[in-house]
Amino acid sequence: MTDKIRTAVIGVGYLGLFHAEKFAQLPDADLVGVVDTSRPRAEEVAAKVGTTAYTDYRELLDKVDAVSIVVPTQYHFEVARAFLERGVHVLLEKPITTTVAEADKLIRLAEEKGAVFQVGHLERFNPVIVGLKGFLTVPRFIESIRIAPFKPRGTDVNVVLDLMIHDIDILQTIVGSPVKQISSIGAPVFTDEEDIANARIQFENGCVANVTASRISLKSERKMRIFQADSYISVDFQNKKLAVFRKGSGEMFPGVPKVDMEETSFEQGDALKAEIASFLDCVRTGAKPVVSGEDGKRALETALKISKKL
């Protein structure tokens, strides 16, 4: 592929607008259209990013090489399947689908058609996560908290599939062991779905994670604390800070070991732009996506188990 990659964004609500803006900014992409069932919204976004507005994604099936799909979760399978069947490369927002069976079908279809299939777990492109890899050994206990003020968008699913799934994906990636046991509790507050939830995830290798997510808080906070034999690592996803605490030599006070701290701050960057640029690179080179369909399915499977036990 030598020319620009013909792209489109399917669904240009709150998040889809940002996808459209990134595609419009990237020199590798030719944004040929944006789609929304609301014509005024489609035309508004199209005018903003300099492309054509559509209200039916099927009009673009034969006009694009790659798409971002940012529609409500219940339509993920239908829309992604339509493009994958044509061999179009797909970046699908999380959660991958509503069921594991649907995820399996999309993964198989992408393989059959030789299409890149990437799932939008955005935190994987957070520079803090990239920096964290150099400090990890064997995590034994992890605490995670992800809280945010209430917003009407995203409430078509519970808080586990809306917010906690980000941390589930990260946890399963850094622990690298199958899930053994799950217990969870949650409550609906502002919606008919659970708006706050806590889960205890035990992995086969003995690591335990305690995960909390809320979309009814007064502030935003996205933090993770990782405990392992040689260190304690504090991760602040929101403020892009990483602190590593290690037992040093000597004592601070009698009987109290000295603690050495190493703190790193990262540039804010643009995780969404990095995610889309990585997707386009995979389209051009055939490389495996950072977050594959299998990764998306794995996170969904755990999220559904947590939801079932709420």
mmCIF file with all atom_site columns, all heavy atoms in Angstrom, residues 136 139-144 167 170-172 174-175 199 201 203 207-211 223-227 233:
data_model
loop_
_atom_site.group_PDB
_atom_site.id
_atom_site.type_symbol
_atom_site.label_atom_id
_atom_site.label_alt_id
_atom_site.label_comp_id
_atom_site.label_asym_id
_atom_site.label_entity_id
_atom_site.label_seq_id
_atom_site.pdbx_PDB_ins_code
_atom_site.Cartn_x
_atom_site.Cartn_y
_atom_site.Cartn_z
_atom_site.occupancy
_atom_site.B_iso_or_equiv
_atom_site.pdbx_formal_charge
_atom_site.auth_seq_id
_atom_site.auth_comp_id
_atom_site.auth_asym_id
_atom_site.auth_atom_id
_atom_site.pdbx_PDB_model_num
ATOM 1   N N   . LEU A 1 136 ? 8.467   -3.905  35.996 1.00 0.00 ? 136 LEU A N   1
ATOM 2   C CA  . LEU A 1 136 ? 7.694   -5.061  36.445 1.00 0.00 ? 136 LEU A CA  1
ATOM 3   C C   . LEU A 1 136 ? 8.550   -6.314  36.572 1.00 0.00 ? 136 LEU A C   1
ATOM 4   O O   . LEU A 1 136 ? 9.410   -6.583  35.740 1.00 0.00 ? 136 LEU A O   1
ATOM 5   C CB  . LEU A 1 136 ? 6.564   -5.351  35.454 1.00 0.00 ? 136 LEU A CB  1
ATOM 6   C CG  . LEU A 1 136 ? 5.376   -4.390  35.443 1.00 0.00 ? 136 LEU A CG  1
ATOM 7   C CD1 . LEU A 1 136 ? 4.451   -4.726  34.279 1.00 0.00 ? 136 LEU A CD1 1
ATOM 8   C CD2 . LEU A 1 136 ? 4.614   -4.446  36.765 1.00 0.00 ? 136 LEU A CD2 1
ATOM 9   N N   . PRO A 1 139 ? 4.214   -9.350  39.680 1.00 0.00 ? 139 PRO A N   1
ATOM 10  C CA  . PRO A 1 139 ? 3.245   -8.725  40.585 1.00 0.00 ? 139 PRO A CA  1
ATOM 11  C C   . PRO A 1 139 ? 2.547   -9.763  41.458 1.00 0.00 ? 139 PRO A C   1
ATOM 12  O O   . PRO A 1 139 ? 2.157   -10.828 40.974 1.00 0.00 ? 139 PRO A O   1
ATOM 13  C CB  . PRO A 1 139 ? 2.244   -8.065  39.624 1.00 0.00 ? 139 PRO A CB  1
ATOM 14  C CG  . PRO A 1 139 ? 3.003   -7.878  38.347 1.00 0.00 ? 139 PRO A CG  1
ATOM 15  C CD  . PRO A 1 139 ? 3.924   -9.051  38.270 1.00 0.00 ? 139 PRO A CD  1
ATOM 16  N N   . ARG A 1 140 ? 2.407   -9.424  42.770 1.00 0.00 ? 140 ARG A N   1
ATOM 17  C CA  . ARG A 1 140 ? 1.745   -10.352 43.687 1.00 0.00 ? 140 ARG A CA  1
ATOM 18  C C   . ARG A 1 140 ? 0.404   -9.809  44.164 1.00 0.00 ? 140 ARG A C   1
ATOM 19  O O   . ARG A 1 140 ? -0.517  -10.560 44.426 1.00 0.00 ? 140 ARG A O   1
ATOM 20  C CB  . ARG A 1 140 ? 2.640   -10.626 44.917 1.00 0.00 ? 140 ARG A CB  1
ATOM 21  C CG  . ARG A 1 140 ? 4.056   -11.061 44.593 1.00 0.00 ? 140 ARG A CG  1
ATOM 22  C CD  . ARG A 1 140 ? 4.120   -12.183 43.579 1.00 0.00 ? 140 ARG A CD  1
ATOM 23  N NE  . ARG A 1 140 ? 3.499   -13.425 44.029 1.00 0.00 ? 140 ARG A NE  1
ATOM 24  C CZ  . ARG A 1 140 ? 3.219   -14.453 43.245 1.00 0.00 ? 140 ARG A CZ  1
ATOM 25  N NH1 . ARG A 1 140 ? 3.471   -14.382 41.956 1.00 0.00 ? 140 ARG A NH1 1
ATOM 26  N NH2 . ARG A 1 140 ? 2.653   -15.543 43.731 1.00 0.00 ? 140 ARG A NH2 1
ATOM 27  N N   . PHE A 1 141 ? 0.299   -8.491  44.296 1.00 0.00 ? 141 PHE A N   1
ATOM 28  C CA  . PHE A 1 141 ? -0.967  -7.877  44.707 1.00 0.00 ? 141 PHE A CA  1
ATOM 29  C C   . PHE A 1 141 ? -1.097  -6.540  43.990 1.00 0.00 ? 141 PHE A C   1
ATOM 30  O O   . PHE A 1 141 ? -0.135  -5.776  43.903 1.00 0.00 ? 141 PHE A O   1
ATOM 31  C CB  . PHE A 1 141 ? -1.018  -7.672  46.224 1.00 0.00 ? 141 PHE A CB  1
ATOM 32  C CG  . PHE A 1 141 ? -2.308  -7.053  46.691 1.00 0.00 ? 141 PHE A CG  1
ATOM 33  C CD1 . PHE A 1 141 ? -3.494  -7.773  46.661 1.00 0.00 ? 141 PHE A CD1 1
ATOM 34  C CD2 . PHE A 1 141 ? -2.352  -5.742  47.140 1.00 0.00 ? 141 PHE A CD2 1
ATOM 35  C CE1 . PHE A 1 141 ? -4.692  -7.195  47.070 1.00 0.00 ? 141 PHE A CE1 1
ATOM 36  C CE2 . PHE A 1 141 ? -3.538  -5.154  47.558 1.00 0.00 ? 141 PHE A CE2 1
ATOM 37  C CZ  . PHE A 1 141 ? -4.717  -5.893  47.519 1.00 0.00 ? 141 PHE A CZ  1
ATOM 38  N N   . ILE A 1 142 ? -2.293  -6.262  43.481 1.00 0.00 ? 142 ILE A N   1
ATOM 39  C CA  . ILE A 1 142 ? -2.515  -5.023  42.728 1.00 0.00 ? 142 ILE A CA  1
ATOM 40  C C   . ILE A 1 142 ? -3.822  -4.384  43.198 1.00 0.00 ? 142 ILE A C   1
ATOM 41  O O   . ILE A 1 142 ? -4.842  -5.062  43.330 1.00 0.00 ? 142 ILE A O   1
ATOM 42  C CB  . ILE A 1 142 ? -2.597  -5.296  41.207 1.00 0.00 ? 142 ILE A CB  1
ATOM 43  C CG1 . ILE A 1 142 ? -1.318  -5.992  40.717 1.00 0.00 ? 142 ILE A CG1 1
ATOM 44  C CG2 . ILE A 1 142 ? -2.813  -3.999  40.443 1.00 0.00 ? 142 ILE A CG2 1
ATOM 45  C CD1 . ILE A 1 142 ? -1.385  -6.453  39.265 1.00 0.00 ? 142 ILE A CD1 1
ATOM 46  N N   . GLU A 1 143 ? -3.761  -3.096  43.436 1.00 0.00 ? 143 GLU A N   1
ATOM 47  C CA  . GLU A 1 143 ? -4.953  -2.310  43.744 1.00 0.00 ? 143 GLU A CA  1
ATOM 48  C C   . GLU A 1 143 ? -5.181  -1.343  42.592 1.00 0.00 ? 143 GLU A C   1
ATOM 49  O O   . GLU A 1 143 ? -4.242  -0.676  42.146 1.00 0.00 ? 143 GLU A O   1
ATOM 50  C CB  . GLU A 1 143 ? -4.773  -1.513  45.037 1.00 0.00 ? 143 GLU A CB  1
ATOM 51  C CG  . GLU A 1 143 ? -4.843  -2.346  46.293 1.00 0.00 ? 143 GLU A CG  1
ATOM 52  C CD  . GLU A 1 143 ? -4.769  -1.467  47.535 1.00 0.00 ? 143 GLU A CD  1
ATOM 53  O OE1 . GLU A 1 143 ? -3.856  -0.631  47.606 1.00 0.00 ? 143 GLU A OE1 1
ATOM 54  O OE2 . GLU A 1 143 ? -5.631  -1.620  48.405 1.00 0.00 ? 143 GLU A OE2 1
ATOM 55  N N   . SER A 1 144 ? -6.423  -1.254  42.149 1.00 0.00 ? 144 SER A N   1
ATOM 56  C CA  . SER A 1 144 ? -6.729  -0.367  41.028 1.00 0.00 ? 144 SER A CA  1
ATOM 57  C C   . SER A 1 144 ? -8.001  0.402   41.326 1.00 0.00 ? 144 SER A C   1
ATOM 58  O O   . SER A 1 144 ? -8.972  -0.167  41.829 1.00 0.00 ? 144 SER A O   1
ATOM 59  C CB  . SER A 1 144 ? -6.905  -1.202  39.753 1.00 0.00 ? 144 SER A CB  1
ATOM 60  O OG  . SER A 1 144 ? -7.348  -0.401  38.685 1.00 0.00 ? 144 SER A OG  1
ATOM 61  N N   . ASP A 1 167 ? -8.980  -1.404  33.130 1.00 0.00 ? 167 ASP A N   1
ATOM 62  C CA  . ASP A 1 167 ? -8.046  -1.959  34.107 1.00 0.00 ? 167 ASP A CA  1
ATOM 63  C C   . ASP A 1 167 ? -7.968  -3.474  34.012 1.00 0.00 ? 167 ASP A C   1
ATOM 64  O O   . ASP A 1 167 ? -6.911  -4.062  34.253 1.00 0.00 ? 167 ASP A O   1
ATOM 65  C CB  . ASP A 1 167 ? -8.449  -1.514  35.514 1.00 0.00 ? 167 ASP A CB  1
ATOM 66  C CG  . ASP A 1 167 ? -8.398  -0.002  35.651 1.00 0.00 ? 167 ASP A CG  1
ATOM 67  O OD1 . ASP A 1 167 ? -7.327  0.569   35.395 1.00 0.00 ? 167 ASP A OD1 1
ATOM 68  O OD2 . ASP A 1 167 ? -9.425  0.610   35.980 1.00 0.00 ? 167 ASP A OD2 1
ATOM 69  N N   . ILE A 1 170 ? -5.450  -4.141  31.344 1.00 0.00 ? 170 ILE A N   1
ATOM 70  C CA  . ILE A 1 170 ? -4.092  -3.876  31.821 1.00 0.00 ? 170 ILE A CA  1
ATOM 71  C C   . ILE A 1 170 ? -3.635  -4.967  32.783 1.00 0.00 ? 170 ILE A C   1
ATOM 72  O O   . ILE A 1 170 ? -2.520  -5.494  32.684 1.00 0.00 ? 170 ILE A O   1
ATOM 73  C CB  . ILE A 1 170 ? -4.016  -2.491  32.492 1.00 0.00 ? 170 ILE A CB  1
ATOM 74  C CG1 . ILE A 1 170 ? -4.232  -1.392  31.449 1.00 0.00 ? 170 ILE A CG1 1
ATOM 75  C CG2 . ILE A 1 170 ? -2.672  -2.294  33.184 1.00 0.00 ? 170 ILE A CG2 1
ATOM 76  C CD1 . ILE A 1 170 ? -4.498  -0.034  32.047 1.00 0.00 ? 170 ILE A CD1 1
ATOM 77  N N   . LEU A 1 171 ? -4.495  -5.332  33.736 1.00 0.00 ? 171 LEU A N   1
ATOM 78  C CA  . LEU A 1 171 ? -4.153  -6.354  34.720 1.00 0.00 ? 171 LEU A CA  1
ATOM 79  C C   . LEU A 1 171 ? -3.800  -7.677  34.057 1.00 0.00 ? 171 LEU A C   1
ATOM 80  O O   . LEU A 1 171 ? -2.780  -8.297  34.374 1.00 0.00 ? 171 LEU A O   1
ATOM 81  C CB  . LEU A 1 171 ? -5.321  -6.570  35.691 1.00 0.00 ? 171 LEU A CB  1
ATOM 82  C CG  . LEU A 1 171 ? -5.600  -5.448  36.688 1.00 0.00 ? 171 LEU A CG  1
ATOM 83  C CD1 . LEU A 1 171 ? -6.943  -5.666  37.370 1.00 0.00 ? 171 LEU A CD1 1
ATOM 84  C CD2 . LEU A 1 171 ? -4.491  -5.362  37.728 1.00 0.00 ? 171 LEU A CD2 1
ATOM 85  N N   . GLN A 1 172 ? -4.633  -8.109  33.140 1.00 0.00 ? 172 GLN A N   1
ATOM 86  C CA  . GLN A 1 172 ? -4.380  -9.391  32.497 1.00 0.00 ? 172 GLN A CA  1
ATOM 87  C C   . GLN A 1 172 ? -3.121  -9.359  31.644 1.00 0.00 ? 172 GLN A C   1
ATOM 88  O O   . GLN A 1 172 ? -2.435  -10.368 31.500 1.00 0.00 ? 172 GLN A O   1
ATOM 89  C CB  . GLN A 1 172 ? -5.604  -9.812  31.677 1.00 0.00 ? 172 GLN A CB  1
ATOM 90  C CG  . GLN A 1 172 ? -6.804  -10.135 32.568 1.00 0.00 ? 172 GLN A CG  1
ATOM 91  C CD  . GLN A 1 172 ? -7.994  -10.685 31.804 1.00 0.00 ? 172 GLN A CD  1
ATOM 92  O OE1 . GLN A 1 172 ? -8.757  -9.943  31.233 1.00 0.00 ? 172 GLN A OE1 1
ATOM 93  N NE2 . GLN A 1 172 ? -8.145  -11.986 31.810 1.00 0.00 ? 172 GLN A NE2 1
ATOM 94  N N   . ILE A 1 174 ? -0.335  -7.393  32.336 1.00 0.00 ? 174 ILE A N   1
ATOM 95  C CA  . ILE A 1 174 ? 0.889   -7.340  33.151 1.00 0.00 ? 174 ILE A CA  1
ATOM 96  C C   . ILE A 1 174 ? 1.046   -8.563  34.054 1.00 0.00 ? 174 ILE A C   1
ATOM 97  O O   . ILE A 1 174 ? 2.180   -8.937  34.387 1.00 0.00 ? 174 ILE A O   1
ATOM 98  C CB  . ILE A 1 174 ? 0.964   -6.040  33.988 1.00 0.00 ? 174 ILE A CB  1
ATOM 99  C CG1 . ILE A 1 174 ? -0.137  -5.973  35.051 1.00 0.00 ? 174 ILE A CG1 1
ATOM 100 C CG2 . ILE A 1 174 ? 0.927   -4.826  33.094 1.00 0.00 ? 174 ILE A CG2 1
ATOM 101 C CD1 . ILE A 1 174 ? -0.052  -4.733  35.927 1.00 0.00 ? 174 ILE A CD1 1
ATOM 102 N N   . VAL A 1 175 ? -0.056  -9.199  34.443 1.00 0.00 ? 175 VAL A N   1
ATOM 103 C CA  . VAL A 1 175 ? 0.053   -10.399 35.279 1.00 0.00 ? 175 VAL A CA  1
ATOM 104 C C   . VAL A 1 175 ? 0.425   -11.603 34.434 1.00 0.00 ? 175 VAL A C   1
ATOM 105 O O   . VAL A 1 175 ? 1.228   -12.443 34.833 1.00 0.00 ? 175 VAL A O   1
ATOM 106 C CB  . VAL A 1 175 ? -1.258  -10.655 36.061 1.00 0.00 ? 175 VAL A CB  1
ATOM 107 C CG1 . VAL A 1 175 ? -1.189  -11.990 36.812 1.00 0.00 ? 175 VAL A CG1 1
ATOM 108 C CG2 . VAL A 1 175 ? -1.526  -9.516  37.038 1.00 0.00 ? 175 VAL A CG2 1
ATOM 109 N N   . ALA A 1 199 ? -14.295 -5.507  42.383 1.00 0.00 ? 199 ALA A N   1
ATOM 110 C CA  . ALA A 1 199 ? -14.045 -6.916  42.074 1.00 0.00 ? 199 ALA A CA  1
ATOM 111 C C   . ALA A 1 199 ? -12.713 -7.358  42.668 1.00 0.00 ? 199 ALA A C   1
ATOM 112 O O   . ALA A 1 199 ? -11.753 -6.581  42.723 1.00 0.00 ? 199 ALA A O   1
ATOM 113 C CB  . ALA A 1 199 ? -14.037 -7.139  40.566 1.00 0.00 ? 199 ALA A CB  1
ATOM 114 N N   . ILE A 1 201 ? -10.019 -10.210 41.902 1.00 0.00 ? 201 ILE A N   1
ATOM 115 C CA  . ILE A 1 201 ? -9.641  -11.171 40.860 1.00 0.00 ? 201 ILE A CA  1
ATOM 116 C C   . ILE A 1 201 ? -8.408  -11.937 41.327 1.00 0.00 ? 201 ILE A C   1
ATOM 117 O O   . ILE A 1 201 ? -7.370  -11.344 41.622 1.00 0.00 ? 201 ILE A O   1
ATOM 118 C CB  . ILE A 1 201 ? -9.326  -10.455 39.533 1.00 0.00 ? 201 ILE A CB  1
ATOM 119 C CG1 . ILE A 1 201 ? -10.499 -9.558  39.111 1.00 0.00 ? 201 ILE A CG1 1
ATOM 120 C CG2 . ILE A 1 201 ? -9.014  -11.476 38.438 1.00 0.00 ? 201 ILE A CG2 1
ATOM 121 C CD1 . ILE A 1 201 ? -10.181 -8.665  37.923 1.00 0.00 ? 201 ILE A CD1 1
ATOM 122 N N   . PHE A 1 203 ? -5.611  -14.730 40.257 1.00 0.00 ? 203 PHE A N   1
ATOM 123 C CA  . PHE A 1 203 ? -5.021  -15.345 39.077 1.00 0.00 ? 203 PHE A CA  1
ATOM 124 C C   . PHE A 1 203 ? -4.404  -16.697 39.425 1.00 0.00 ? 203 PHE A C   1
ATOM 125 O O   . PHE A 1 203 ? -4.088  -16.978 40.584 1.00 0.00 ? 203 PHE A O   1
ATOM 126 C CB  . PHE A 1 203 ? -3.955  -14.412 38.476 1.00 0.00 ? 203 PHE A CB  1
ATOM 127 C CG  . PHE A 1 203 ? -4.517  -13.123 37.940 1.00 0.00 ? 203 PHE A CG  1
ATOM 128 C CD1 . PHE A 1 203 ? -4.641  -12.007 38.763 1.00 0.00 ? 203 PHE A CD1 1
ATOM 129 C CD2 . PHE A 1 203 ? -4.932  -13.019 36.620 1.00 0.00 ? 203 PHE A CD2 1
ATOM 130 C CE1 . PHE A 1 203 ? -5.160  -10.811 38.275 1.00 0.00 ? 203 PHE A CE1 1
ATOM 131 C CE2 . PHE A 1 203 ? -5.445  -11.832 36.122 1.00 0.00 ? 203 PHE A CE2 1
ATOM 132 C CZ  . PHE A 1 203 ? -5.562  -10.733 36.946 1.00 0.00 ? 203 PHE A CZ  1
ATOM 133 N N   . CYS A 1 207 ? -1.320  -14.193 42.064 1.00 0.00 ? 207 CYS A N   1
ATOM 134 C CA  . CYS A 1 207 ? -1.523  -12.745 42.156 1.00 0.00 ? 207 CYS A CA  1
ATOM 135 C C   . CYS A 1 207 ? -3.006  -12.449 42.400 1.00 0.00 ? 207 CYS A C   1
ATOM 136 O O   . CYS A 1 207 ? -3.888  -13.117 41.867 1.00 0.00 ? 207 CYS A O   1
ATOM 137 C CB  . CYS A 1 207 ? -1.055  -12.064 40.878 1.00 0.00 ? 207 CYS A CB  1
ATOM 138 S SG  . CYS A 1 207 ? -1.223  -10.266 40.901 1.00 0.00 ? 207 CYS A SG  1
ATOM 139 N N   . VAL A 1 208 ? -3.253  -11.430 43.225 1.00 0.00 ? 208 VAL A N   1
ATOM 140 C CA  . VAL A 1 208 ? -4.619  -11.003 43.516 1.00 0.00 ? 208 VAL A CA  1
ATOM 141 C C   . VAL A 1 208 ? -4.745  -9.516  43.173 1.00 0.00 ? 208 VAL A C   1
ATOM 142 O O   . VAL A 1 208 ? -3.851  -8.717  43.488 1.00 0.00 ? 208 VAL A O   1
ATOM 143 C CB  . VAL A 1 208 ? -4.970  -11.237 44.998 1.00 0.00 ? 208 VAL A CB  1
ATOM 144 C CG1 . VAL A 1 208 ? -6.338  -10.625 45.332 1.00 0.00 ? 208 VAL A CG1 1
ATOM 145 C CG2 . VAL A 1 208 ? -4.976  -12.729 45.311 1.00 0.00 ? 208 VAL A CG2 1
ATOM 146 N N   . ALA A 1 209 ? -5.854  -9.153  42.511 1.00 0.00 ? 209 ALA A N   1
ATOM 147 C CA  . ALA A 1 209 ? -6.113  -7.745  42.184 1.00 0.00 ? 209 ALA A CA  1
ATOM 148 C C   . ALA A 1 209 ? -7.438  -7.317  42.797 1.00 0.00 ? 209 ALA A C   1
ATOM 149 O O   . ALA A 1 209 ? -8.429  -8.047  42.715 1.00 0.00 ? 209 ALA A O   1
ATOM 150 C CB  . ALA A 1 209 ? -6.150  -7.556  40.666 1.00 0.00 ? 209 ALA A CB  1
ATOM 151 N N   . ASN A 1 210 ? -7.425  -6.146  43.400 1.00 0.00 ? 210 ASN A N   1
ATOM 152 C CA  . ASN A 1 210 ? -8.637  -5.543  43.945 1.00 0.00 ? 210 ASN A CA  1
ATOM 153 C C   . ASN A 1 210 ? -8.953  -4.315  43.088 1.00 0.00 ? 210 ASN A C   1
ATOM 154 O O   . ASN A 1 210 ? -8.169  -3.357  43.044 1.00 0.00 ? 210 ASN A O   1
ATOM 155 C CB  . ASN A 1 210 ? -8.420  -5.146  45.407 1.00 0.00 ? 210 ASN A CB  1
ATOM 156 C CG  . ASN A 1 210 ? -9.701  -4.649  46.049 1.00 0.00 ? 210 ASN A CG  1
ATOM 157 O OD1 . ASN A 1 210 ? -10.703 -5.354  46.087 1.00 0.00 ? 210 ASN A OD1 1
ATOM 158 N ND2 . ASN A 1 210 ? -9.678  -3.436  46.541 1.00 0.00 ? 210 ASN A ND2 1
ATOM 159 N N   . VAL A 1 211 ? -10.084 -4.350  42.391 1.00 0.00 ? 211 VAL A N   1
ATOM 160 C CA  . VAL A 1 211 ? -10.373 -3.352  41.354 1.00 0.00 ? 211 VAL A CA  1
ATOM 161 C C   . VAL A 1 211 ? -11.679 -2.638  41.667 1.00 0.00 ? 211 VAL A C   1
ATOM 162 O O   . VAL A 1 211 ? -12.703 -3.282  41.899 1.00 0.00 ? 211 VAL A O   1
ATOM 163 C CB  . VAL A 1 211 ? -10.481 -4.021  39.965 1.00 0.00 ? 211 VAL A CB  1
ATOM 164 C CG1 . VAL A 1 211 ? -10.448 -2.974  38.863 1.00 0.00 ? 211 VAL A CG1 1
ATOM 165 C CG2 . VAL A 1 211 ? -9.376  -5.041  39.758 1.00 0.00 ? 211 VAL A CG2 1
ATOM 166 N N   . LYS A 1 223 ? -5.818  5.306   39.024 1.00 0.00 ? 223 LYS A N   1
ATOM 167 C CA  . LYS A 1 223 ? -4.561  4.925   39.661 1.00 0.00 ? 223 LYS A CA  1
ATOM 168 C C   . LYS A 1 223 ? -4.473  3.412   39.844 1.00 0.00 ? 223 LYS A C   1
ATOM 169 O O   . LYS A 1 223 ? -5.481  2.723   39.959 1.00 0.00 ? 223 LYS A O   1
ATOM 170 C CB  . LYS A 1 223 ? -4.414  5.616   41.015 1.00 0.00 ? 223 LYS A CB  1
ATOM 171 C CG  . LYS A 1 223 ? -4.200  7.128   40.916 1.00 0.00 ? 223 LYS A CG  1
ATOM 172 C CD  . LYS A 1 223 ? -3.976  7.754   42.283 1.00 0.00 ? 223 LYS A CD  1
ATOM 173 C CE  . LYS A 1 223 ? -3.683  9.242   42.159 1.00 0.00 ? 223 LYS A CE  1
ATOM 174 N NZ  . LYS A 1 223 ? -3.485  9.874   43.477 1.00 0.00 ? 223 LYS A NZ  1
ATOM 175 N N   . MET A 1 224 ? -3.240  2.942   39.916 1.00 0.00 ? 224 MET A N   1
ATOM 176 C CA  . MET A 1 224 ? -2.983  1.535   40.159 1.00 0.00 ? 224 MET A CA  1
ATOM 177 C C   . MET A 1 224 ? -1.748  1.415   41.037 1.00 0.00 ? 224 MET A C   1
ATOM 178 O O   . MET A 1 224 ? -0.766  2.147   40.847 1.00 0.00 ? 224 MET A O   1
ATOM 179 C CB  . MET A 1 224 ? -2.777  0.798   38.824 1.00 0.00 ? 224 MET A CB  1
ATOM 180 C CG  . MET A 1 224 ? -2.686  -0.712  38.925 1.00 0.00 ? 224 MET A CG  1
ATOM 181 S SD  . MET A 1 224 ? -2.587  -1.509  37.283 1.00 0.00 ? 224 MET A SD  1
ATOM 182 C CE  . MET A 1 224 ? -4.300  -1.387  36.736 1.00 0.00 ? 224 MET A CE  1
ATOM 183 N N   . ARG A 1 225 ? -1.801  0.512   42.009 1.00 0.00 ? 225 ARG A N   1
ATOM 184 C CA  . ARG A 1 225 ? -0.644  0.244   42.874 1.00 0.00 ? 225 ARG A CA  1
ATOM 185 C C   . ARG A 1 225 ? -0.284  -1.223  42.733 1.00 0.00 ? 225 ARG A C   1
ATOM 186 O O   . ARG A 1 225 ? -1.145  -2.100  42.910 1.00 0.00 ? 225 ARG A O   1
ATOM 187 C CB  . ARG A 1 225 ? -0.964  0.598   44.325 1.00 0.00 ? 225 ARG A CB  1
ATOM 188 C CG  . ARG A 1 225 ? -1.109  2.095   44.552 1.00 0.00 ? 225 ARG A CG  1
ATOM 189 C CD  . ARG A 1 225 ? -1.374  2.419   46.012 1.00 0.00 ? 225 ARG A CD  1
ATOM 190 N NE  . ARG A 1 225 ? -2.752  2.140   46.369 1.00 0.00 ? 225 ARG A NE  1
ATOM 191 C CZ  . ARG A 1 225 ? -3.756  3.003   46.229 1.00 0.00 ? 225 ARG A CZ  1
ATOM 192 N NH1 . ARG A 1 225 ? -3.531  4.193   45.705 1.00 0.00 ? 225 ARG A NH1 1
ATOM 193 N NH2 . ARG A 1 225 ? -4.982  2.675   46.576 1.00 0.00 ? 225 ARG A NH2 1
ATOM 194 N N   . ILE A 1 226 ? 0.968   -1.468  42.425 1.00 0.00 ? 226 ILE A N   1
ATOM 195 C CA  . ILE A 1 226 ? 1.442   -2.827  42.143 1.00 0.00 ? 226 ILE A CA  1
ATOM 196 C C   . ILE A 1 226 ? 2.511   -3.206  43.165 1.00 0.00 ? 226 ILE A C   1
ATOM 197 O O   . ILE A 1 226 ? 3.515   -2.505  43.322 1.00 0.00 ? 226 ILE A O   1
ATOM 198 C CB  . ILE A 1 226 ? 2.030   -2.906  40.719 1.00 0.00 ? 226 ILE A CB  1
ATOM 199 C CG1 . ILE A 1 226 ? 0.983   -2.461  39.692 1.00 0.00 ? 226 ILE A CG1 1
ATOM 200 C CG2 . ILE A 1 226 ? 2.520   -4.320  40.404 1.00 0.00 ? 226 ILE A CG2 1
ATOM 201 C CD1 . ILE A 1 226 ? 1.539   -2.164  38.318 1.00 0.00 ? 226 ILE A CD1 1
ATOM 202 N N   . PHE A 1 227 ? 2.290   -4.313  43.860 1.00 0.00 ? 227 PHE A N   1
ATOM 203 C CA  . PHE A 1 227 ? 3.226   -4.792  44.877 1.00 0.00 ? 227 PHE A CA  1
ATOM 204 C C   . PHE A 1 227 ? 3.902   -6.064  44.372 1.00 0.00 ? 227 PHE A C   1
ATOM 205 O O   . PHE A 1 227 ? 3.227   -7.004  43.948 1.00 0.00 ? 227 PHE A O   1
ATOM 206 C CB  . PHE A 1 227 ? 2.490   -5.071  46.193 1.00 0.00 ? 227 PHE A CB  1
ATOM 207 C CG  . PHE A 1 227 ? 1.824   -3.855  46.777 1.00 0.00 ? 227 PHE A CG  1
ATOM 208 C CD1 . PHE A 1 227 ? 0.554   -3.473  46.355 1.00 0.00 ? 227 PHE A CD1 1
ATOM 209 C CD2 . PHE A 1 227 ? 2.460   -3.083  47.736 1.00 0.00 ? 227 PHE A CD2 1
ATOM 210 C CE1 . PHE A 1 227 ? -0.065  -2.337  46.874 1.00 0.00 ? 227 PHE A CE1 1
ATOM 211 C CE2 . PHE A 1 227 ? 1.847   -1.954  48.269 1.00 0.00 ? 227 PHE A CE2 1
ATOM 212 C CZ  . PHE A 1 227 ? 0.584   -1.584  47.835 1.00 0.00 ? 227 PHE A CZ  1
ATOM 213 N N   . ILE A 1 233 ? 4.997   -0.180  43.172 1.00 0.00 ? 233 ILE A N   1
ATOM 214 C CA  . ILE A 1 233 ? 4.918   0.761   42.060 1.00 0.00 ? 233 ILE A CA  1
ATOM 215 C C   . ILE A 1 233 ? 3.576   1.486   42.100 1.00 0.00 ? 233 ILE A C   1
ATOM 216 O O   . ILE A 1 233 ? 2.523   0.848   42.163 1.00 0.00 ? 233 ILE A O   1
ATOM 217 C CB  . ILE A 1 233 ? 5.062   0.034   40.707 1.00 0.00 ? 233 ILE A CB  1
ATOM 218 C CG1 . ILE A 1 233 ? 6.346   -0.808  40.685 1.00 0.00 ? 233 ILE A CG1 1
ATOM 219 C CG2 . ILE A 1 233 ? 5.074   1.036   39.554 1.00 0.00 ? 233 ILE A CG2 1
ATOM 220 C CD1 . ILE A 1 233 ? 6.439   -1.739  39.480 1.00 0.00 ? 233 ILE A CD1 1
#
